[in-house]
Every structure is written in C-alpha cells, then in structure tokens.
Amino acid sequence: MNYIKDPLEIEKKSFEIIGKNIDESKFDKKELLIVKRVIHATADFEFANILKISKGAIEDGLKVLKEGFNIVSDTKMAEAGINKKVLDKIGSKVKSYINLPEVKEISKKCGITRSMAAMEIAAKDESNKIFAIGNAPTALFRLIELAREGKAKPSLIIGVPVGFVGAEEAKEEVKKLDIPYIITEGEKGGSTVAAAIVNALLYMIER
C-alpha cells in the first residue's frame, strides 16, 4: 500500500489541509499556530470558530513558560499529551493533582469533585501559573472562585472543558475575570484540546 510514513511529512501535509479549510486571515501568526494545532489534534474545523484568545494571552503564557513556571492539568490524560522534552528544555513542569491522596480526602470530606479539590491544592503553589482544564467544568468553576477570592493567581487560564453540564457556563465565567485566557465556546473541548494548546505555546518557544 502507498501511504505517507514519515511523521513530519504527515504533520506538514495535515497543516496544509487545515490551512486550505479555514480563513487564516482571521488570526495573527501565533493565534493561527494554536488554532491549527487544535484542529490537527481533533480533525474538527469548528474549533477555528469557537476558539477564543484574549488580548495578550499568548504573550503572557509564553512569558511565564520561559521563566520556568509550571502548568497545572486537570487530568492525567492532558498531562501525558504535553511535550515533556520541550518542558525540560525550558525548566518547566506539568502537574496533575487529581490522584493525590489528599485530593481524595478533601473530595470526600467536603462533598466536592476530585477535580475541584485538585484546584484547591494546586492554587497554593505559586509556581503554578498556567491552568489547563480540558475535562472537568467543576475544576474550572472552582478555579474561577479561587481567583475571585484571591486564593489563585494564574497568569493564563486554558479553559476548554468538554461536556453538556456546566462546560459552556464555566467558560463564559472565565471571560469575566481579569485574567488572560484561551477558551472554547460551547460544549466542545477536551483534554486533547488542552494539551494541543499548551504544546502550541511550547513549540513557539522551541522554534
């Protein structure tokens, strides 16, 4: 069978196809890299319309990454999908708190989701500056609450939880914060999308 085997060639061809199927003029150079990376990860062109990036969000994200601050993920899946090789080069880490024993304890004691409890613990570490939430709307809601209470001070919120209950509403609440954000409007998103956005930022630094 005749098919492309080189991974770099596959990616190059994929990005060419993506470029032909979206209006690239709607985005600046860095925004386009994020949009294309998300579409590449999902094969869903709708993300070109529902991905929203606040003014200065990319620059703020790149700044804290270059300074070696950390990324918090709400799932192990997103954590696994983020490029560790580039993270190592810039002295940054990605952390997921979801499986920590204390998270389970807080969740059970307070009657909240483990994702919410994970945000409470993650917010206490000032080295955690980027919060990438792709799965749990409750995690995003809790992060928003912590930010409003002055208990969390993220430099960038990547809010792309997927789902029919709370996902859209949580993302709309992010817009009301005075914090840079990259979100998806509506129900679509996911851990794959969160990882793709982070990787797009990392590749901007690497290149």
Side-chain angles (χ1 to χ4, degrees):
M1 293 186 291
N2 185 24
Y3 57 93
I4 302 173
K5 303 176 182 67
D6 181 355
L8 294 179
E9 183 63 25
I10 292 171
E11 181 174 292
K12 179 182 176 182
K13 183 68 175 178
S14 296
F15 274 67
E16 288 174 357
I17 292 170
I18 292 167
K20 292 176 182 178
N21 283 275
I22 64 173
D23 182 0
E24 294 187 343
S25 66
K26 291 170 55 179
F27 312 98
D28 66 29
K29 184 178 179 181
K30 290 178 180 177
E31 290 172 343
L32 189 58
L33 290 173
I34 292 175
V35 170
K36 284 188 172 183
R37 182 66 54 183
V38 170
I39 295 174
H40 179 255
T42 61
D44 187 342
F45 289 105
E46 189 180 356
F47 282 103
N49 299 317
I50 65 174
L51 193 66
K52 304 299 177 182
I53 303 172
S54 70
K55 185 177 180 180
I58 295 174
E59 288 70 23
D60 286 351
L62 292 174
K63 181 177 183 294
V64 294
L65 285 172
K66 289 175 182 178
E67 291 173 351
F69 287 101
N70 298 326
I71 304 156
V72 174
S73 165
D74 64 326
T75 65
K76 299 299 289 185
M77 179 179 175
E79 179 186 2
I82 293 171
N83 192 306
K84 308 302 186 302
K85 184 177 179 180
V86 181
L87 282 176
D88 288 343
K89 284 184 180 180
I90 62 175
S92 181
K93 296 178 182 178
V94 57
K95 301 178 178 181
S96 174
Y97 293 76
I98 195 71
N99 290 332
L100 292 180
E102 52 264 50
V103 166
K104 297 177 183 179
E105 291 172 9
I106 293 172
S107 173
K108 186 176 181 180
K109 180 180 178 180
C110 300
I112 60 176
T113 67
R114 285 167 55 198
S115 297
M116 294 172 71
M119 291 299 108
E120 293 186 7
I121 294 176
K124 294 177 182 178
D125 187 344
E126 294 184 358
S127 67
N128 295 331
K129 291 295 186 182
I130 296 178
F131 285 73
I133 299 173
N135 183 67
T138 56
L140 188 53
F141 274 126
R142 187 59 187 137
L143 178 60
I144 292 166
E145 291 173 341
L146 290 166
R148 287 174 175 162
E149 294 166 6
K151 297 177 181 177
K153 297 180 181 179
S155 295
L156 173 64
I157 295 176
I158 298 172
V160 293
V162 62
F164 297 105
V165 180
E168 182 174 8
E169 293 81 359
K171 296 166 192 175
E172 290 301 314
E173 287 298 316
V174 172
K175 294 179 182 179
K176 300 175 185 178
L177 298 173
D178 188 23
I179 297 173
Y181 64 78
I182 301 174
I183 64 168
T184 50
E185 294 181 327
E187 297 88 0
K188 288 187 176 183
S191 296
T192 300
V193 175
I197 293 170
V198 172
N199 283 336
L201 293 172
L202 292 174
Y203 297 152
M204 289 180 205
I205 296 173
E206 186 183 38
R207 293 170 185 173

